Amino acid sequence: DIQMTQSPSTLSASVGDRVTITCRASQSVGTWLAWYQQKPGKAPRLLMYDASNMESGVPSRFSGSGSGTEFTLTISSLQPDDSATYYCQQYHTYRTFGQGTKVEIK
Amino acid sequence: QVQLQESGPGLVKPSETLSLTCTVSNGSISNSYWTWIRQSPGKGLEWIGYVYYFGGRSTNYNPSLKSRVTISVDASKNQFSLKLTSVTAADTAVYYCARGKGTDWNTFDLWGQGTMVTVSS
């Protein structure tokens, strides 16, 4: 199994802040990495794929980068609607998810 | 637009079989990878497996669940289903059906709302 580890587990930031979430893979996954956003009681929503490609309809304040074993999801200017839990997912070998990063608004 | 809806019992007894169905509305079940994913507080999000229907069908399962899982499709009803045998409390989770984005099963761009399944006597 490829293990995905996210940090931090929780972060609290103010509206307008730049926020970065990190995802590390236990072995190289190339750029076979996606990011999802999940709000309470809802299904996950695909945000990014192939590490840096934005899904249609996703606000441009979201961006992704990285390759190999280290990846980041950045929100350039945090908005109230961005309060959610974010998950990374690798698709190099089967499919595994990170444990999530909860983003709270101060 | 295409929508997914899970259905099935919310309570299953230990050692019995969990059975869920996902209905695909406003779209064809052909030529997409239809997937089951579950989410529990203990294990987070876990990919269970997929079925791909193209007239014939192809399946692929998470190795950790493979011995207990069957995913099938009923094209006449535009539905696909999950069966998980010999369940224990560890199988308690919200179960989602989802669609692989585009023509692969790399990522998942359409999800059902999820259904909570509790394993308890």
Side-chain angles (χ1 to χ4, degrees):
Chain A
D1 273 20
I2 297 179
Q3 310 298 323
M4 308 302 292
T5 303
Q6 291 181 231
S7 60
S9 297
T10 305
L11 73 86
S12 183
S14 300
V15 172
D17 283 354
R18 182 181 183 88
V19 166
T20 298
I21 299 167
T22 298
C23 175
R24 290 186 173 87
S26 61
Q27 64 189 75
S28 177
V29 298
T31 56
W32 300 119
L33 186 107
W35 290 96
Y36 296 82
Q37 176 192 65
Q38 186 178 33
K39 296 184 177 181
K42 300 293 188 182
R45 171 196 179 194
L46 179 64
L47 295 179
M48 314 285 303
Y49 60 96
D50 296 348
S52 60
N53 289 340
M54 195 182 310
E55 179 69 350
S56 176
V58 173
S60 59
R61 62 182 179 272
F62 289 91
S63 63
S65 65
S67 65
T69 61
E70 187 153 336
F71 302 86
T72 58
L73 175 70
T74 299
I75 309 172
S76 61
S77 177
L78 189 67
Q79 299 301 305
D81 190 51
D82 300 336
S83 178
T85 300
Y86 294 84
Y87 296 92
C88 60
Q89 177 229 321
Q90 67 81 21
Y91 43 101
H92 178 277
T93 305
Y94 289 100
R95 309 297 177 252
T96 52
F97 294 84
Q99 83 282 11
T101 294
K102 185 175 183 179
V103 174
E104 299 174 337
I105 309 294
K106 281 184 188 174
Chain B
Q1 69 274 25
V2 181
Q3 292 181 313
L4 305 181
Q5 178 68 58
E6 303 91 348
S7 59
L11 181 64
V12 182
K13 290 183 168 54
S15 80
E16 295 190 345
T17 296
L18 180 159
S19 295
L20 296 174
T21 295
C22 183
T23 300
V24 180
S25 303
N26 305 318
S28 172
I29 203 164
S30 297
N31 301 316
S32 286
Y33 288 83
W34 302 104
T35 300
W36 288 97
I37 293 167
R38 67 183 183 180
Q39 184 172 31
S40 63
K43 296 197 75 174
L45 287 162
E46 183 177 29
W47 174 78
I48 299 171
Y50 73 70
V51 62
Y52 177 67
Y53 179 71
F54 53 95
R57 59 210 68 195
S58 169
T59 56
N60 195 2
Y61 303 130
N62 187 323
S64 69
L65 298 169
K66 188 174 183 177
S67 64
R68 299 194 291 131
V69 171
T70 302
I71 299 176
S72 59
V73 62
D74 186 339
S76 67
K77 296 182 179 178
N78 239 31
Q79 294 176 334
F80 63 104
S81 298
L82 168 70
K83 289 192 188 300
L84 182 65
T85 63
S86 304
V87 297
T88 69
D91 295 308
T92 294
V94 176
Y95 285 75
Y96 293 100
C97 58
R99 182 184 69 183
K101 175 179 166 68
T103 57
D104 57 50
W105 56 292
N106 290 338
T107 60
F108 312 104
D109 66 346
L110 181 67
W111 297 62
Q113 65 185 24
T115 187
M116 180 69 204
V117 178
T118 301
V119 178
S120 175
S121 55

